[in-house]
Amino acid sequence: MGGFWYPYESQNDATACLCGFADHQFGIGCGVTWSDGLSVAILRKASVTTGGHGAYVNVLRQHIAAPPSPPKPSAPSTFLQRAETFFERAMELEGEAEIENAQAQQAASQAMFDAVRDDVWEPAHRFMLRHKQGADLAGVVIDAVGVFAGVAFVIALSPEIGALAIVTGVAAAVGSGVLLVADGAVYATEATGHKELSKTIEDSAFVQWSRIVGTALTLVDLPVGGVRALAEVSKLGQEAREAVAGARETDSLAEAARARVAKIHNPERHPGPVNRRLRRVKTLTRQADQQRQEAERLARHRSWVRGRDVTASFAATPAGTAAIVAAPPAVLLTKAQQQSDEDYLKQLEPKGGMPKDTKLEVRTSAMGKAAPP
C-alpha cells in the first residue's frame, strides 16, 4: 500500500482527477474531500450559496483483499478417463484447425490493429484528454511556428525556388494560419476560464473542419518545402566550408608574401619591390577577412534556415499532425468513441488504472446553516 494519496501519484494528481470527476458529475460548485480511512484532506472547499448551503463529494479509499486464485481442475483419476479426455481434446483440436486457419489472416490483422489502438493511440488520446489545456497551448505554439516559417520561406527564397515550392509554401502558411485562428480561439477562452464558451467553439463544425483542412494544407509542403529546406542547409554548409578553406589558403599566401618582404636586404634601397609586396600582403589579408566574414554569414544563415524551416517541416508539422491524430475533432470520432471519452473524463481511476487491492467509496454530503432554536 502506498502513501496517503495512493493510488494517485501525488496530491496534484488526486486533485485533478477527483475535482474533474466532481465537476462532471455534480457541478463545479461542490467541494471535494479525500480520506484514507485515518485522515481527511479537503481538496476543494464548497461554494456556499447566499442561503449558506453547499455540497461536498467525499471520497474514501478502502483496501480490499485480492480474490483467491481459482482452484486447478483435478486430473482424471483413472487411465480410461485420461484416455477419453485425450481423444476428446484431439477431436476438438482437429475440428477447430480448419476454422483457425481460415481466420488466421484476419486475426493477425485485427491483432495488429488492436495493438496500435490499445497501446499507442488510446494512451496518447487519453493523455491529450487529461492535459487538454497544455495540449491546446502547444498547438498554438506549433501553429505560430508554421505561419512564421511558411511566410519567411516563401519571401526569402521565392527568387530561387520553383512555382510548385511557392504554392506549397503558401499553402503551408495558410494552413498554419487557419489552425492558429481556430486553436487560438479555443485556447484563449479556455485559459480565461470560459470553459463552456471554449467547448462551444471547439465543437462547432467550422472550427473542426478548419483544423482538418489546415492540417492537410501543412502536410502538402512537407515533401517540397521540407526537402528544399534540407537542400538549402546542405548547400549553405558546403559554401561556408569553402569560404573557410579559401580564407585559410589566402592567409597562407599572405604569410608567404610577408616572408618574401622580410627576405629583402636593405629594403630602403629597394622601395619599389617592397611596396608592391606590402600591397600584395594587404590585399590578401583583406580578402581573407572578407572570406571569414562570408563564412560566418553563411553559417548564421544555415543555422537560421535549419532552426526555422527544417524544424517547421520536420518537427512542427509532424507534431501538429500527431496531435490532431491523437485528439481528432469530434466529427472524425465514432459515437462509441465520443461516449468512451465522456465516460473516461468522469471516472475516478488514476492514470495507471485502479489497483486490484483498492476500492473508492463516494458519498455526497450537504452543508447549511443550522435552523434557529
Side-chain angles (χ1 to χ4, degrees):
M1 179 70 70
F4 175 71
W5 300 107
Y6 179 83
Y8 302 104
E9 295 179 357
S10 62
Q11 180 178 356
N12 290 338
D13 185 28
T15 301
C17 195
L18 298 178
C19 291
F21 167 80
D23 290 346
H24 283 95
Q25 295 287 2
F26 306 101
I28 60 175
C30 66
V32 180
T33 67
W34 166 259
S35 175
D36 65 347
L38 299 175
S39 303
V40 178
I42 299 177
L43 300 182
R44 185 175 69 189
K45 292 185 177 181
S47 299
V48 181
T49 63
T50 55
H53 300 285
Y56 272 91
V57 175
N58 308 294
V59 184
L60 170 65
R61 183 191 73 205
Q62 292 182 328
H63 176 72
I64 57 176
S69 301
K72 294 182 179 180
S74 58
S77 57
T78 67
F79 173 78
L80 290 178
Q81 289 175 326
R82 291 196 296 271
E84 182 180 354
T85 302
F86 171 79
F87 284 114
E88 287 179 355
R89 182 58 180 159
M91 293 178 65
E92 289 177 1
L93 292 175
E94 185 178 358
E96 292 170 355
E98 280 190 35
I99 299 175
E100 291 179 354
N101 288 334
Q103 295 177 343
Q105 296 259 347
Q106 181 180 357
S109 300
Q110 185 64 37
M112 183 174 296
F113 173 80
D114 292 343
V116 172
R117 183 195 61 196
D118 297 339
D119 299 332
V120 179
W121 185 83
E122 191 69 31
H125 182 60
R126 292 193 168 184
F127 178 87
M128 298 285 281
L129 291 178
R130 291 197 306 268
H131 303 86
K132 185 177 182 305
Q133 188 166 342
D136 289 343
L137 175 59
V140 172
V141 173
I142 291 172
D143 299 339
V145 171
V147 172
F148 172 71
V151 172
F153 177 79
V154 173
I155 293 177
L157 300 178
S158 56
E160 304 176 13
I161 62 179
L164 178 60
I166 294 177
V167 171
T168 58
V170 171
V174 171
S176 296
V178 170
L179 289 172
L180 181 60
V181 172
D183 294 342
V186 173
Y187 175 73
T189 51
E190 185 178 42
T192 53
H194 300 86
K195 293 188 177 181
E196 293 184 1
L197 177 58
S198 176
K199 182 170 178 55
T200 300
I201 295 173
E202 186 173 18
D203 291 345
S204 67
F206 176 78
V207 169
Q208 292 187 46
W209 282 108
S210 294
R211 291 185 64 204
I212 296 170
V213 173
T215 302
L217 288 174
T218 61
L219 287 172
V220 169
D221 188 52
L222 185 59
V224 179
V227 173
R228 177 73 192 195
L230 287 177
E232 184 70 11
V233 168
S234 177
K235 174 186 172 184
L236 291 172
Q238 180 63 30
E239 291 177 353
R241 288 190 292 271
E242 291 175 356
V244 170
R248 290 174 180 171
E249 183 178 354
T250 305
D251 283 334
S252 299
L253 294 175
E255 188 62 29
R258 290 191 190 93
R260 286 194 295 271
V261 172
K263 289 180 180 178
I264 297 177
H265 296 288
N266 300 320
E268 64 277 1
R269 295 182 180 180
H270 309 281
V274 169
N275 291 332
R276 284 196 301 271
R277 292 181 182 181
L278 287 177
R279 283 195 298 271
R280 175 67 173 165
V281 170
K282 187 175 180 180
T283 300
L284 292 172
T285 301
R286 184 171 61 253
Q287 289 178 354
D289 291 340
Q290 290 174 348
Q291 288 169 327
R292 276 189 289 270
Q293 291 174 3
E294 179 65 11
E296 292 175 358
R297 185 192 68 80
L298 291 169
R300 286 195 302 269
H301 188 43
R302 177 175 180 267
S303 299
W304 180 252
V305 172
R306 181 172 55 188
R308 182 194 65 198
D309 300 330
V310 176
T311 299
S313 295
F314 294 98
T317 296
T321 305
I324 197 172
V325 170
V331 294
L332 299 181
L333 295 176
T334 63
K335 293 294 184 183
Q337 185 63 50
Q338 293 181 37
Q339 185 62 47
S340 175
D341 291 348
E342 291 181 7
D343 294 341
Y344 175 74
L345 291 173
K346 296 176 183 179
Q347 68 184 9
L348 288 170
E349 285 191 10
K351 296 176 183 178
M354 189 65 66
K356 294 181 178 180
D357 63 345
T358 302
K359 181 177 71 173
L360 300 183
E361 181 178 334
V362 181
R363 296 181 180 180
T364 59
S365 60
M367 57 175 291
K369 293 182 179 179

